[in-house]
């Protein structure tokens, strides 16, 4: 008997038919003699809908109350899936994070799981129940609801799989696996049979939302192999696991993009020690993650500092930047929401010079201006005008022969 954790995303539980499909799939696997723990997301679109409700009543809704609201989305899915399972003759019980005991720190909307209590889940499994757990949510020390960040149900599933020492962790979604690029942008993208944790980490952190970044971090840390596959068919998906570049000879394994970024520029500030430290410690104190940073060459003792943040944080980042204009004697703060980050990823880059040049050349040939650049050991990222993202991803995908 194996213990299997399966996670179903929003599109997999979007309506009654889909929920019943999932229930059938789960019961079928249970009937083959397995213990099943199922993690589900809110129905597709529900979390956005709830966020819109919050913004409808308050300009800056209280983060604690936002989590109270968002947690209801996943609660819809667990209850419906348990009902559908029972209707199909199965035994299933739904549990919220509070009922399970999924503890997190108290950072609302970006909480990290600190501890999972297994008592209730194990008791229910012993009774032969399919245990259906609400993804994305946790409870903090005060027993207040928290959420793990958008896409966080993947992380709930991996954390449960690690804590339960599960034999398998399957992530069911609306694509057949991890592709060389987002198949919605690149129709001839190819599915990977396998991808390493490190490459998947890089892809996820650079915008490939097929897996939540924290889920991949946990999977790597606790060595939980993930099988990413579709809930719409029986095709084998992509296995994410340890090891080096598995597709030998391939320098680049994927192109990732992120259109949800904003660029802020603090123009003409004093080019002297301590200025950058001040700006970025203020942003950090406001819990804003800064991604890329570029400082222009100083001229006449003045320089510009540009940085990118997630679009969700752009309003607050702009406020922080504006609050510093006077102390920094800066000229202005400029904001550009029409930006995108396009990246190439592959461990093969470590040993192959010339990859960056090839990337920049491809963008140049396509008349795409690069506004910012950053690199890691296994990736190169560029910030480009937002409307060119599709063109850039497609051009890079074929330049690095990922369609072959
Ligand atoms: P779920 O609701 O099941 O968690 P998500 O929408 O979070 O699903 O993630 C699946 C989506 O990720 C796909 O529909 C696809 O558009 C997108 N995606 C982005 N990059 C990739 C990639 N490299 N491979 C597969 N899917 C990707
Ligand atoms: N429902 C949450 C979201 O839309 C979590 C998830 O889908 O993983 O972000
Ligand atoms: Mg997701």
């Amino acid at each position: 008997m194996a213990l299997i954790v399966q996670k179903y995303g929003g599109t997999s539980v979007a309506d009654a038919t889909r929920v019943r499909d999932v229930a059938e799939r789960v019961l079928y696997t249970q009937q083959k003699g397995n213990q099943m723990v199922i993690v589900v997301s809110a129905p597709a679109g529900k979390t956005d809908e709830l966020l819109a409700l919050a913004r409808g009543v308050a300009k800056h809704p209280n983060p604690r109350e936002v989590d109270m609201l968002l947690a209801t989305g996943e609660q819809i899915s667990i209850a419906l899936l348990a009902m559908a399972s029972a209707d199909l003759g199965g035994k299933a019980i739904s549990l919220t994070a509070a009922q399970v005991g999924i503890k997190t720190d108290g950072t609302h909307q970006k909480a990290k799981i600190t501890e999972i209590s297994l008592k209730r889940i194990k008791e229910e499994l012993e009774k032969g129940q399919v245990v259906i757990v609400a993804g994305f949510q946790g409870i903090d020390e005060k027993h207040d609801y928290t959420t793990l960040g958008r896409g966080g149900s993947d992380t709930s599933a991996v954390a449960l799989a690690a804590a339960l020492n599960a034999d398998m962790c399957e992530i069911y979604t609306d694509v057949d696996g991890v592709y060389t690029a987002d198949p919605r942008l690149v129709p001839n993208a190819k599915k990977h049979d396998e991808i390493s944790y490190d490459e998947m980490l890089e892809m996820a952190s650079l915008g490939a939302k097929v897996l939540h970044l924290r889920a991949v971090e946990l999977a790597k840390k606790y060595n939980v192999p993930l099988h990413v596959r579709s809930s719409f068919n029986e095709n084998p998906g992509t296995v994410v696991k340890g090891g080096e570049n598995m597709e030998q000879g391939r320098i680049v394994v994927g192109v990732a993009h992120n259109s949800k970024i904003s660029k802020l520029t603090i123009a003409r500030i004093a080019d002297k020690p301590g200025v950058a430290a001040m700006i970025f410690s203020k942003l950090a104190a406001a819990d804003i993650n800064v991604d890329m940073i570029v400082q222009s060459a100083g001229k006449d003792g003045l320089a510009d500092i540009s940085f990118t943040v997630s679009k969700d944080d752009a309003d607050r980042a702009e406020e922080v930047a504006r609050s510093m204009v006077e102390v920094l004697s800066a000229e202005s703060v400029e904001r550009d929401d029409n930006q995108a980050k396009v990246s190439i990823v592959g461990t093969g880059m470590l040993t192959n010079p010339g990859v960056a040049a090839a990337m920049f050349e491809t963008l140049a040939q396509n008349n795409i201006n690069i506004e910012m650049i950053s690199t890691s050991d296994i990736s190169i990222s560029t910030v480009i005008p937002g409307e060119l993202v599709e063109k850039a991803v497609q051009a890079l995908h074929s330049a690095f022969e990922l369609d072959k």
Side-chain angles (χ1 to χ4, degrees):
M1 182 167 56
L3 172 56
I4 300 176
V5 174
Q6 295 183 335
K7 178 258 171 177
Y8 292 89
T11 39
S12 304
V13 291
D15 56 36
T17 315
R18 298 292 307 138
V19 171
R20 286 183 70 88
D21 271 8
V22 168
E24 259 174 40
R25 202 179 262 270
V26 168
L27 293 175
Y28 174 79
T29 310
Q30 188 200 32
Q31 278 150 17
K32 285 198 293 191
N34 300 300
Q35 290 188 317
M36 307 292 292
V37 174
I38 310 302
V39 175
V40 275
S41 296
K46 183 53 81 179
T47 306
D48 287 330
E49 204 180 286
L50 294 170
L51 280 171
L53 281 178
R55 292 193 191 112
V57 297
K59 188 160 176 246
H60 296 297
N62 178 305
R64 177 191 182 276
E65 305 307 336
V66 172
D67 279 347
M68 186 66 99
L69 183 66
L70 292 188
T72 65
E74 271 61 20
Q75 224 166 301
I76 297 173
S77 302
I78 54 170
L80 291 177
L81 184 56
M83 291 173 204
S85 304
D87 194 59
L88 292 166
K91 276 173 77 180
I93 183 167
S94 65
L95 297 173
T96 63
Q99 289 170 315
V100 173
I102 301 179
K103 309 262 172 55
T104 69
D105 61 24
T107 324
H108 289 286
Q109 275 108 74
K110 286 184 195 170
K112 281 197 173 145
I113 296 175
T114 51
E115 199 191 317
I116 298 182
S117 137
L118 299 176
K119 187 169 172 282
R120 181 76 191 269
I121 293 186
K122 286 194 169 159
E123 281 169 10
E124 300 298 344
L125 286 174
E126 288 303 314
K127 293 185 217 157
Q129 302 264 29
V130 171
V131 181
I132 303 170
V133 180
F136 183 49
Q137 54 177 250
I139 48 164
D140 69 9
E141 256 184 354
K142 292 179 280 185
H143 276 234
D144 285 344
Y145 272 110
T146 55
T147 59
L148 309 179
R150 297 306 305 269
S153 296
D154 298 334
T155 298
S156 310
V158 176
L160 278 166
L164 287 160
N165 202 7
D167 298 287
M168 211 185 285
C169 182
E170 297 179 315
I171 308 287
Y172 284 92
T173 182
D174 56 1
V175 283
D176 283 3
V178 179
Y179 281 71
T180 47
D182 187 340
R184 287 177 208 277
L185 244 66
V186 184
N188 61 354
K190 291 274 178 295
K191 187 181 77 189
H192 288 291
D193 294 331
E194 293 183 345
I195 189 167
S196 69
Y197 289 130
D198 287 333
E199 285 166 327
M200 192 62 233
L201 271 176
E202 207 75 1
M203 289 285 286
S205 80
L206 296 171
K209 72 162 182 163
V210 61
L211 282 177
H212 193 231
L213 175 60
R214 186 92 187 112
V216 190
E217 283 172 0
L218 286 181
K220 181 180 174 184
K221 183 168 174 193
Y222 295 103
N223 204 15
V224 181
L226 304 179
H227 189 182
V228 182
R229 51 193 307 198
S230 171
S231 67
F232 292 77
N233 60 47
E234 298 297 328
N235 299 345
T238 301
V239 176
V240 187
K241 59 180 200 179
E244 281 305 295
N245 187 6
M246 289 153 198
E247 282 160 26
Q248 291 296 319
R250 196 162 253 201
I251 297 169
V252 172
V253 296
V255 183
H257 73 279
N258 182 358
S259 299
K260 292 172 85 182
I261 62 165
S262 294
K263 184 172 85 178
L264 287 146
T265 301
I266 308 183
R268 301 187 68 74
I269 39 181
D271 186 17
K272 63 177 189 198
V275 168
M278 180 178 170
I279 297 172
F280 295 105
S281 48
K282 277 256 162 69
L283 288 161
D287 218 4
I288 294 166
N289 275 329
V290 172
D291 185 17
M292 287 197 204
I293 301 172
V294 170
Q295 176 167 346
S296 67
K299 204 175 159 224
D300 308 326
L302 297 173
D304 294 346
I305 287 189
S306 298
F307 57 91
T308 60
V309 296
S310 153
K311 238 173 217 159
D312 295 337
D313 288 336
D315 284 346
R316 288 188 308 124
E318 186 180 352
E319 259 171 47
V320 173
R322 290 203 185 282
S323 75
M324 285 184 289
V325 165
E326 211 162 302
V327 257
L328 294 171
S329 312
E331 192 178 279
S332 60
V333 171
E334 286 147 33
R335 169 169 165 182
D336 189 346
D337 288 333
N338 180 33
Q339 300 273 296
K341 179 165 155 177
V342 175
S343 312
I344 55 172
V345 174
T347 45
M349 269 181 222
L350 280 165
T351 46
N352 285 278
V355 181
M359 178 183 194
F360 303 153
E361 213 148 279
T362 303
L363 294 175
Q365 279 159 5
N366 284 276
N367 231 345
I368 298 168
N369 193 40
I370 302 172
E371 306 194 9
M372 291 170 136
I373 297 172
S374 73
T375 62
S376 80
D377 278 352
I378 64 165
S379 70
I380 304 167
S381 298
T382 55
V383 171
I384 61 164
E387 69 277 11
L388 298 176
V389 64
E390 190 163 345
K391 189 176 176 189
V393 173
Q394 287 173 354
L396 292 167
H397 193 267
S398 57
F400 288 99
E401 301 189 337
L402 292 173
D403 43 358
K404 300 270 158 66

